Every structure is written in C-alpha cells, then in structure tokens.
C-alpha cells in the first residue's frame, strides 16, 4: 500500500488509544499536512495518493476552490456497518469499513467515494459559485477508516495570476493569504507541489513555503508531472537537492494524467506505472528508490514518527504524573485489604485517632491541609479573640447610656438627705457596676463564637479515608460535638462569674485608676483656654481690689463678692481640715505654675502665698472651695471618703477646685451645655451656702452639678477601662482553658469510650457506595496507566 504505512498506523493507533482514553483531553497532536502550489500543479492528485483513496475532484482549470480540510479518523474494523462494501466504486475488497461524513451534512454516511467527490463539487459551487470564484470558507470532510492515521490533510486552491470568470481582481492576493494562514501553523507539514514541466525558479509553492519556513524544516518538495518534462531535460539536479535546499528533500512523482482519470485508471495500476517509470527512466533509475508516491508516503511516515517520538517524553512524563496522582488517591481511600472481624477494632481505633489528631492539629495550626484562602482552625480562634472580641469591647462607650440626669439622680440618691461633701463616691459605685455589666454580652458572644468554630473544625477535620465510612464519620462528629456542648456551659458560666467578680468590688485603689483628682484635672483641661485666661485676669483684678481693701480695713476678711463664705467658715477648722490644708499649701507652687495660684487667693479672699499660713489657713484650702462652704461636717462624716485623701493630694486638684469655685461664684455657663439642659429640677439645697436659697427655682444643672456629672463620667470611663482590659485578657484565657484545651485533652479518650464498642463496629464500618465506586474506578485507571506505560516503553 502506497499510503501512510502500516507500522506507523499500528503504533499511532496504540498511542492514540492511550492518549485519548487514558490521558484524556491531551492528544498526540499529529501535524496537519497542507498542500500548496499553483493551479493544476497536481496538489489534489498528490493528496489522493497519500491517502490512497480516489475521491478528490481533479482536473485542468480551477477545481479546488475552497479549502478542504480532510480529517482522517482511524476506526476499528468492526465499527463499520457490515453491508456497506457493495457501495464502493473504487474500493478494493479489503476496504469495506470506510465511510466519509461532511460537516455540512451531519449524520449522513458516504460510503461511495464517487458520491464524496460529487458532494465536494456541489458544495464548492454552492458557496463559491459556478464560475471560477474561490471562497475561504472550508469544506470539512471526515474519512473514517481502519486504514488511515488520525491525521488532518488540507487541500487548497492553487495560486493563479490572472483573474478569470467570477474571480475578483485581487484573486492572487486572496489565495496567497488563504494559503499562508494554513501553512503558517508551526504544526503543519508543507507539501510544496511544483510541476516539473515549469522552471522551479518560478515555483509559487516554494516561494510561499520559504516565507513561513525559511529554514526548510517542515517543507517537503514535491515535483509532479516528471513524466511531462521536455525530452532531453530532467529534474535530477532538483531531486538531489542541488538546486533548492530542503531538509526533507524533493521527491519526484508521477500522478495520473487527465487521460488516466477520465479512463478511471485504478490507483494501484497508476502506482505501478509510476514505479516503472522511475525504475526505467535513464536519468532516474539510480535514484528510483527515492522517487515516487511510495517514497513520498514513506518520508511522511518518518516525519510523523519523528514528531511522535518528540512528543513521547511529554506523554510519558504526563503518564507518570497521572500514575502518581492516582496512586495517591487510591492510598487516600485507605488500606483496602483489611479483612476479617479481628481487624475491625484496630481499623476503627486508627480512624478515630486520625480524626482526633486532625481536630487537634487544626486547632494548633499544624494541620497539613492549611487553607490559604480563608482563616481556619486555631487562626480563626485567635481572630475571634483579637479582632471580634477585642473590637467589640473597644466599641463599648462606658457612659453613653448615662444621661446627665441619671448621674445627677444617682449623686442625689447616694448622698441621702445630706448634701454631698466630697466627690460623690457612692454615686460612682452605684453607676459603674451596671456599666461593667455591658462587658458581659460580648464576652459571652466570644465564648459562643469559639464554640461554633470548634464545631466547624470537627466537621472538617475528617480525611478522605474517613469519608469511606460515612456512619463512623457522623458518629465521630457527634461525639465531639457533644463534648464541646458539654464544655460550653462551664466556660460560659465562668465568664459570667468573671463579670460578676468585677462587679463585686470596685477597687478604686487600682494603680491605673484615674482617681478623683486626675478626673477633675481631666474635666478642667477640657475647658476652653479662653475662658480660663479670662478668669485668671478677673481674679487678678479682684485680688488687687481686695488687697487695697485689706490695706484699708486691716482685718476685713470678706469682700462683697465673697459673701457666701461668711458664716460657713465659722464652724469648720477641725484637725482633719487643717491636715488637708497643709497638703494643699505644699502644692501651691505647682498651682502657681499653672497660673492659677492667684486664682486661689482671689477666690478665697486671701493671698495664695504658702508663706502666709495665718489664722485663715483652713479657709485657704482648696477643699473648702471644691467641696463647698457648707462643710460644717468634717470629711469623716461623708459617705465613703476613704480614698479621697489620696486623690486630693494630687497636684492638679487645686486648680480644678478653684476653677469650679470661681465659676460657681460668677454663675458662668456650665462646662457642657448638654449637661444643663434639664430644666425641670431646681438645684439647690445640697450645695448649702454655695447656692443662695433665692436661686431655688433654677432649672438647669448648676455648675457644680455639671462638674460633678462630668467628674463621675471621667471616673466611670477610667474604671471601666481597667475592667475592660482585665476582661479582654481573662475571657480568652478562660475560653482556652475551659473550652478549647479541655476539649483537645479529652477528645481522644472520649471517642474511644463512646465508640470503641464491639457491637458498634459493624454499623460504623459501613462503607459508602459512592466512595467504593470511586476507589474501584481509581484502581482500574491505575491499571490502564500501567499498560499505557508499557506501550510507550515498546515504541521508544
Ligand atoms: P491541482 O489543481 O493542483 O489540485 O491539480 P490536480 O491534482 O487537479 O491536477 C491537475 C491536472 O494535472 C489533472 O488533470 C491531473 O490529471 C494532472 N496531473 C497531475 N499530476 C500529474 C502528473 O504527475 N502527470 C501527469 N501526466 N498529469 C498530472
Ligand atoms: Mg486541486
């Protein structure tokens, strides 16, 4: 047989099988064979000879007017219909199971290749017209046969110079472009067909081929019509490669002449005649073996084989990868060869242990299957602690739900029938406790989130092996879920306790607690500088005036604008007061530095100079000013003053008390307008002499109340921050200890004690059907790959 060789066919068939059926989408990717050349050079004839079939329209003038993409598809002999052989006109007896199909007529099998030829002609006319026009829209023809390679061949219209018939003026350019598109593909083998009876230097085929394949690597030169050369001339120089270099060489052929075609000369006969021609021709007889269609087919065989060999290492590597992957997948289903009841226990124990350690390693972050897409396991828990819980705590505003009115009411209630003397500490206590409660909701949410995360982990920590036993897997998850649920209670109530503990004792002695003094400073520092400056200026003026008065009246302690001090001073002057007064004096340098020293003096009607203790020393104290002049009761009489001395000893305090004082005296607007908005309650009594009775009906918060409210707010915020910090620290620790670590510690034992029971084994080891099938498929695939590898080994 002159067409592509049987050996190649066999190997390619095996490989093709392997590639299509085992490797899948990948293929041997055999090259396309494209014939190019000028019109009537003999392209279609050459193509026919290669295929070994007689089905292409040939003739003089333009015959091929659309690209013909001919796909040869190898089929098993028994795939064909048994009674189709009779329809062949040119078929030999052996070729009974061949048929052709056109893409434009899907489903219709052409068993007569004469019909194929006619269909090509009519389909060409349908699209390209009846009169010489060409069309770039290809005709797709598939030939199914046990005797062909899975190969694509392309027949193209020939190049012409002069437009004839319907042809447009640029017919040459159009054809050239069309041909170039097909031969430009690096995977195409170019059959550059040149007729021997035309000078090779005029060969359009070689010109085109050289353009896309300048080194002549994939171009086969085909010299047709060697029989039609002028007498006395021969193509020896060309055929021996001396005229035009091509790696794959030039091959001379003799196709059937037009006369032969019209006479229906069988292909076999024509090939025999060709053979005779070369063997007996005086010029070619020495190279006869390298001439003719047979040799052309052989050359193409070799070229294809080389191509396949080049592809083999890739295919082999791919096959190895697939084998490795399949082996791995198979291993993931676990050892299939456990059998007998005695092995079931250890099997379950092994799966259980794997599950437990998967659970633990997910939490610890040592799992081998760590996702890069989202946080999981332990990292999620960390995220809950730090980002979710942390920011939930951060966003709590400890005083936003407390109105000034609430605070004032608390202050009033906590002082009882008596006005408050010092910082309304009881009110602070009363108010801060419910605020601490605000921490409970996020804390409990934190516990829940971690619990939910652990549940999620136990659902995802199973292996493929485990998925083979869905019932065992479900049971394992159930037991771990139960364990986690069990731990949720203790963890949650411990967290509840943590909050209660914080509420049980308000430790105002905490080193980080702001304290009344700093709170006051804080409040004061919020005040506008402008106002402060104005105050200072006013006090300075007053002091001046007073000094003048003092000078005049010798011992006149009271100035008109200080008259509320009168009388109140008389009852005071206990030892405690003096003690505090001393503290105050010792600080006055600092006070002066603040520029408020003069203020103290002015407000008190005294000089602030520490060097002047004098008889009025007790009245000099800032306490007098801050706590009011009602101070008939000594500090010990106040509700809970124990922590006060500590705070008042801070250097910032005096300036604060003074400023309060001065503002009270002057009825200045309160610090915060929002604080004095409540008009309904007249504020008086508590402040004793500070507020005259005549002002009983004043609707808003007094300056002092505003200040106290502000102060309480500052204290609550400060204390709340201490508690918040502590809770932010303790809750995660508690959750880790009581919920996470505990579950990790006991999970293995719990699983064993719950599930390692002889009676359960049967049920637990029920194998999932789908997985079973999957595994069997996997085993089969691996077997196929092994066989494929053997085939490749043989070819190489
Ligand atoms: P295409 O246009 O290149 O496809 O050329 P065809 O295959 O249709 O052939 C054109 C004409 O040349 C046909 O009549 C063929 O019979 C004839 N022909 C092709 N090759 C040879 C050959 O080697 N010898 C002879 N005598 N005629 C040939
Ligand atoms: Mg043709």
């Amino acid at each position: 047989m002159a067409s592509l060789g049987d050996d190649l066919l066999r190997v390619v068939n095996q490989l093709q099988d392997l590639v299509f059926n085992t490797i899948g989408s990948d293929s041997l990717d055999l090259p396309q064979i494209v014939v190019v050349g000028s019109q009537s050079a003999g392209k279609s004839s050459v193509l026919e000879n290669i295929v070994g079939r007689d089905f292409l329209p040939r003739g003089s003038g333009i015959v091929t007017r659309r690209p013909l993409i001919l796909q040869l598809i190898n089929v098993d002999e028994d795939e064909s219909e048994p009674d189709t052989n009779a329809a062949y006109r040119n078929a030999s007896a052996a070729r009974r199971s061949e048929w052709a199909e056109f893409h434009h007529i899907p489903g219709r099998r052409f068993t007569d290749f004469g019909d194929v030829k006619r269909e090509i002609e009519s389909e060409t006319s349908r699209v390209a017209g009846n009169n010489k026009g060409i069309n770039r829209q290809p005709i797709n023809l598939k030939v199914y046969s046990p005797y062909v390679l899975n190969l694509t061949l392309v027949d193209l219209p020939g190049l012409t110079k002069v437009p004839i018939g319907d042809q447009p003026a640029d017919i040459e350019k159009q054809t050239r472009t069309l041909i170039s598109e097909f031969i430009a593909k690096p995977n195409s083998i170019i059959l550059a067909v040149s007729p021997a009876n035309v000078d090779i230097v005029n060969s359009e085929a070689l010109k085109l081929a050289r353009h896309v394949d300048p080194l002549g690597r994939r171009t086969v030169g085909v010299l047709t019509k060697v029989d039609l050369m002028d007498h006395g001339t021969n193509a020896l120089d060309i055929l021996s490669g001396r005229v035009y270099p091509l790696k794959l060489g030039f091959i001379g052929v003799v196709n059937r002449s037009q006369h032969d075609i019209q006479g229906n000369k069988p292909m076999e006969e024509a090939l025999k005649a060709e053979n005779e021609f070369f063997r007996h021709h005086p010029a070619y007889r020495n190279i006869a073996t390298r001439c003719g269609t047979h040799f052309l087919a052989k050359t193409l065989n070799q070229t294809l084989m080389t191509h396949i060999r080049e592809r083999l290492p890739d295919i082999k590597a791919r096959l190895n990868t697939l084998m490795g992957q399949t082996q791995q997948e198979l291993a993931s289903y676990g050892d299939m060869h456990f059998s007998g009841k005695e092995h079931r226990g250890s099997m379950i124990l092994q799966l259980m242990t794997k599950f437990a350690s998967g659970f633990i390693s997910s939490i610890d972050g040592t799992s081998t299957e760590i996702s890069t897409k989202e946080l999981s396991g332990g990292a999620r828990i960390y995220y809950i602690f730090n980002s979710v819980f942390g920011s939930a705590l951060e966003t709590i505003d400890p005083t936003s739900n407390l109105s000034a009115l609430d605070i004032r009411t608390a202050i009033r209630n906590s002082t009882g029938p008596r006005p408050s003397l010092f910082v309304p500490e009881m009110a602070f206590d009363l108010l801060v406790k419910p605020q601490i409660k605000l921490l409970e909701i996020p804390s409990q949410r934190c516990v829940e989130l971690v619990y939910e995360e652990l549940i999620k982990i136990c659902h995802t920590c199973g292996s493929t092996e485990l998925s083979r036993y869905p019932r065992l897997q479900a049971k394992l998850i159930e037991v771990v879920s139960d364990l986690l649920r069990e731990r949720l209670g203790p963890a949650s109530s411990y967290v509840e306790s943590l909050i209660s503990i914080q509420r049980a004792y308000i430790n105002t002695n905490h080193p980080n607690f702001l304290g009344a003094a700093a709170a006051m400073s804080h409040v004061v520092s919020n005040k506008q500088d402008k106002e402060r400056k104005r105050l200072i200026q006013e006090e300075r003026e007053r002091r001046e005036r007073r000094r003048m008065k003092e000078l005049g009246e010798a011992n006149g302690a009271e100035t008109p604008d200080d008259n509320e001090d009168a009388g109140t001073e008389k009852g005071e002057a206990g030892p405690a007061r003096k003690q505090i007064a001393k503290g105050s004096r010792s600080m006055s340098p600092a006070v002066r530095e603040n520029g408020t020293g003069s203020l103290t003096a002015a407000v008190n009607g005294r000089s602030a100079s520490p060097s002047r203790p004098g008889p009025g020393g007790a009245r000099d104290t800032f306490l007098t000013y801050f706590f009011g002049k009602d101070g008939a009761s000594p500090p010990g009489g106040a509700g809970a003053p124990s922590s006060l001395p500590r705070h008042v000893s801070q250097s910032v305090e005096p300036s604060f008390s003074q400023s309060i004082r001065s503002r009270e005296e002057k009825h200045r607007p309160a610090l915060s307008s929002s604080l004095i908005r409540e008009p309904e309650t007249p504020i008086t009594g508590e402040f004793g002499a500070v507020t005259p009775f005549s002002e009983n009906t004043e609707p808003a918060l007094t300056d002092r109340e505003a200040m106290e409210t502000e102060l309480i707010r500052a204290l609550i915020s400060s204390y709340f921050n201490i508690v918040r910090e502590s809770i932010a620290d303790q809750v995660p620790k508690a959750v880790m200890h009581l919920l996470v670590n505990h579950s990790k510690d006991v999970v293995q034992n719990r699983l064993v004690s719950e599930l390692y029971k002889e009676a359960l084994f049967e049920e637990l080891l029920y194998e999932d059907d789908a997985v079973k099938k999957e595994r069997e498929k996997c085993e089969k695939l691996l077997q196929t790959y092994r066989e494929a590898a053997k085939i490749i080994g043989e070819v190489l």
Side-chain angles (χ1 to χ4, degrees):
M1 170 180 164
S3 61
L4 297 173
D6 287 339
D7 278 357
L8 181 64
L9 193 60
R10 189 182 55 79
V11 172
V12 170
N13 275 348
Q14 276 184 331
L15 283 176
Q16 208 85 39
D17 246 19
L18 176 144
V19 166
F20 279 127
N21 302 336
T22 63
I23 297 179
S25 58
D26 211 348
S27 80
L28 271 182
D29 204 15
L30 288 179
Q32 275 190 352
I33 294 175
V34 187
V35 285
V36 296
S38 46
Q39 187 180 303
S40 290
K43 301 180 296 296
S44 300
S45 304
V46 167
L47 206 54
E48 260 193 354
N49 284 354
I50 291 170
V51 179
R53 300 292 298 137
D54 199 350
F55 61 95
L56 292 177
R58 287 148 302 160
S60 54
I62 183 155
V63 179
T64 311
R65 295 187 290 137
R66 288 172 64 182
L68 177 81
I69 298 176
L70 174 63
Q71 258 182 291
L72 304 179
I73 296 162
N74 187 270
V75 288
D76 286 345
E77 227 154 325
D78 50 21
E79 244 181 78
S80 58
E81 288 147 46
D83 58 341
T84 51
N85 56 332
Y88 285 111
R89 192 173 295 169
N90 297 309
S92 68
R95 304 196 154 179
R96 69 193 105 196
S97 45
E98 296 170 302
W99 74 95
E101 267 177 46
F102 285 96
H103 183 255
H104 63 272
I105 318 174
R108 177 163 161 204
R109 285 187 177 194
F110 286 77
T111 49
D112 182 342
F113 278 73
D115 288 343
V116 173
K117 191 192 244 171
R118 281 185 284 279
E119 179 55 38
I120 293 173
E121 279 162 354
S122 73
E123 175 60 17
T124 300
S125 305
R126 192 178 69 77
V127 175
N130 285 318
N131 196 6
K132 323 281 186 206
I134 68 157
N135 193 292
R136 56 181 301 113
Q137 187 187 325
I139 297 174
N140 282 282
L141 173 65
K142 288 180 178 171
V143 173
Y144 297 84
S145 165
Y147 312 106
V148 295
L149 282 175
N150 286 310
L151 197 65
T152 302
L153 306 157
V154 183
D155 191 13
L156 291 170
L159 278 165
T160 53
K161 296 279 181 194
V162 186
I164 51 162
D166 285 349
Q167 292 178 341
D170 64 342
I171 179 75
E172 189 190 348
K173 197 174 159 234
Q174 274 189 28
T175 324
R176 208 174 280 279
T177 314
L178 182 63
I179 295 169
S180 295
E181 277 169 26
F182 277 95
I183 59 176
K185 292 173 189 157
N187 197 34
S188 60
I189 293 174
I190 305 165
L191 289 192
V193 179
S194 320
N197 55 357
V198 175
D199 198 331
I200 193 87
V201 294
N202 290 326
S203 170
E204 289 294 335
L206 290 173
K207 201 169 145 195
L208 274 166
R210 172 137 79 190
H211 192 64
V212 294
D213 177 31
L215 298 175
R217 279 189 181 142
R218 52 188 177 92
T219 306
V220 179
V222 181
L223 208 59
T224 55
K225 306 190 183 178
V226 178
D227 59 317
L228 295 184
M229 288 181 82
D230 284 348
H231 281 293
T233 63
N234 63 59
L236 257 186
D237 276 0
I238 298 168
L239 295 179
S240 56
R242 287 194 286 269
V243 177
Y244 192 92
L246 284 176
K247 294 236 161 51
L248 298 171
F250 273 91
I251 297 160
V253 294
V254 176
N255 299 316
R256 280 170 291 180
S257 65
Q258 192 61 32
H259 181 261
D260 294 338
I261 292 166
Q262 271 147 7
N264 274 330
K265 190 173 181 177
M267 187 168 275
E268 285 79 6
E269 227 169 273
L271 290 171
K272 207 179 272 172
E274 185 195 26
N275 194 21
E276 291 295 304
F277 173 84
F278 285 112
R279 278 208 298 135
H280 295 114
H281 195 283
Y284 308 117
R285 47 172 183 247
N286 291 332
I287 57 159
T289 47
R290 284 183 281 126
C291 294
T293 302
H294 185 77
F295 184 70
L296 175 61
K298 223 165 105 183
T299 304
L300 281 178
N301 272 347
Q302 270 164 7
T303 308
L304 290 173
M305 205 60 190
T306 307
H307 173 86
I308 290 165
R309 286 222 173 85
E310 274 167 14
R311 296 265 305 133
L312 277 182
D314 273 359
I315 293 173
K316 208 177 168 187
R318 176 98 188 99
L319 200 62
N320 277 331
T321 312
L322 284 169
M323 269 159 78
Q325 281 171 353
T326 314
Q327 244 152 3
Q328 219 170 6
E329 193 188 333
L330 201 60
S332 76
Y333 293 115
D335 180 16
M336 265 330 287
H337 308 292
F338 84 97
S339 53
K341 293 195 172 179
E342 67 273 24
H343 293 302
R344 293 186 313 182
S346 65
M347 177 87 184
I348 285 185
L349 209 54
Q350 199 189 322
L351 289 168
M352 226 176 237
T353 308
K354 259 193 195 164
F355 183 81
S357 57
F359 179 70
I360 292 169
S361 63
S362 282
I363 295 172
D364 291 344
T366 54
S367 168
T368 48
E369 285 157 33
I370 286 176
S371 166
T372 53
K373 296 213 168 53
E374 51 167 13
L375 285 179
S376 63
R380 274 283 305 169
I381 294 174
Y382 177 85
Y383 175 77
I384 291 167
F385 286 158
N386 281 277
S387 300
V388 182
F389 179 54
S391 66
L393 289 187
E394 277 316 307
T395 51
I396 298 175
D397 180 341
T399 59
S400 68
N401 60 347
L402 288 176
S403 72
L405 196 65
D406 293 338
I407 297 177
R408 193 179 66 193
T409 308
I411 294 171
R412 285 183 186 176
N413 286 341
S414 67
T415 52
R418 256 197 335 211
S420 77
L421 181 60
F422 296 110
V423 178
E425 181 139 336
M426 282 304 279
F428 163 69
D429 237 60
L430 199 71
L431 289 166
V432 81
K433 282 181 180 172
Q435 298 313 105
I436 292 172
K437 189 95 173 143
L438 294 176
L439 295 168
E440 177 142 8
I441 290 170
S443 300
Q444 293 293 6
R445 185 74 195 125
C446 174
V447 179
E448 284 163 19
L449 284 174
V450 173
Y451 166 76
E452 282 163 18
E453 191 56 38
L454 291 174
I455 293 281
K456 217 159 55 181
I457 291 172
C458 91
H459 273 90
T460 53
C461 65
S463 55
T464 327
E465 190 179 354
L466 190 57
S467 63
R468 240 175 88 197
Y469 306 106
R471 292 184 191 169
L472 176 62
Q473 186 173 33
K475 270 284 177 203
L476 292 172
I477 291 171
E478 192 187 311
V479 171
V480 177
S481 298
D482 285 349
L483 169 68
L484 293 172
R485 207 173 312 116
E486 236 169 67
R487 298 307 304 164
L488 182 60
S492 157
S493 59
Y494 185 84
V495 165
E496 195 186 336
S497 297
L498 281 178
I499 308 288
S500 301
I501 287 165
Q502 290 291 350
R503 283 152 48 84
Y505 175 60
I506 304 304
N507 176 22
T508 50
N509 223 5
H510 193 283
N512 294 342
F513 185 46
L514 184 61
M520 281 187 256
S521 134
H522 171 72
V523 171
V524 171
S525 67
N526 288 340
K527 202 166 63 123
Q528 288 177 356
D529 278 352
K530 205 174 81 183
E531 193 189 358
R532 185 188 286 160
K533 276 177 194 153
R534 193 157 51 96
L535 260 179
I536 293 165
Q537 184 55 35
E538 279 172 21
E539 300 306 335
R540 225 170 245 156
E541 286 164 11
R542 255 196 260 174
R543 191 174 59 173
E544 276 308 301
R545 259 184 285 146
R546 200 168 302 159
R547 209 167 258 172
M548 302 300 267
K549 247 185 200 170
E550 270 181 319
L551 283 172
E553 295 168 20
N555 207 18
E558 289 152 27
T559 59
D561 45 339
D562 267 3
N563 57 0
E564 67 267 53
D565 287 352
T568 59
E569 289 167 1
K570 282 162 194 151
E572 61 187 44
R577 262 233 141 117
K578 276 182 182 158
Q579 187 63 36
I580 297 164
K582 258 183 219 156
S584 160
R585 275 198 300 274
S586 70
M587 267 169 253
S588 35
V591 171
R592 275 203 303 274
E593 275 164 33
N594 287 345
T596 49
S598 57
L599 194 80
T600 318
V603 170
N604 281 313
R606 298 270 180 279
S607 164
S609 169
S611 59
R612 281 188 60 198
R619 287 179 302 165
D620 273 1
T621 68
F622 64 88
L623 274 177
T624 317
Y625 288 95
F626 177 58
F627 298 114
K629 294 291 161 41
D630 59 323
S633 42
S642 56
S643 66
L644 268 178
R646 193 177 148 249
H647 304 314
V648 296
S649 67
Q650 294 178 22
S651 65
V652 278
E653 188 119 336
S655 66
F656 179 49
S657 55
Q658 286 143 16
S659 60
I660 293 174
R661 186 66 193 153
S662 60
R663 270 185 287 124
E664 278 171 0
E665 285 172 280
K666 303 214 154 267
H667 300 287
R668 292 238 159 73
L671 272 184
S672 154
S673 58
S674 68
L675 288 175
I676 54 169
R677 232 185 284 125
E678 297 90 26
E680 72 285 357
T681 326
I683 303 113
T684 52
E686 298 125 54
F687 297 96
V690 173
T691 313
F693 284 110
S694 60
E695 288 176 29
N696 257 1
T697 49
E698 186 177 316
L701 257 71
T702 63
D703 284 349
R704 176 175 169 136
E705 280 178 322
M707 186 56 69
E708 278 184 335
T709 308
E710 200 78 342
L711 178 71
I712 290 282
R713 265 187 211 285
L715 289 176
I716 289 174
S717 288
S718 167
Y719 194 78
F720 188 86
N721 285 341
I722 293 168
V723 178
R724 165 158 51 199
E725 211 171 279
S726 165
I727 290 296
D729 179 53
Q730 286 179 333
V731 167
K733 287 173 178 170
V735 171
M736 281 311 282
H737 176 62
L738 295 167
L739 185 60
V740 182
N741 292 346
H742 187 278
S743 306
K744 263 166 57 183
D745 292 345
V746 305
V747 66
Q748 169 86 15
N749 283 345
R750 176 64 67 93
L751 287 174
V752 172
S753 65
E754 292 281 323
L755 299 178
Y756 193 73
K757 290 169 185 160
E758 188 84 45
L760 292 176
F761 288 174
E762 179 85 49
E763 161 82 3
L764 292 178
L765 285 184
Y766 161 82
E767 196 180 354
D768 184 74
D769 280 344
V771 178
K772 198 172 174 177
K773 268 193 200 126
E774 234 2 83
R775 179 175 48 72
E776 279 165 6
K777 206 174 104 189
C778 204
E779 273 175 339
K780 219 165 126 190
L781 203 61
L782 191 62
Q783 191 52 41
T784 318
Y785 288 155
R786 289 203 177 109
E787 279 164 23
K790 221 171 96 191
I791 295 172
I792 287 192
E794 282 167 14
V795 174
L796 283 172

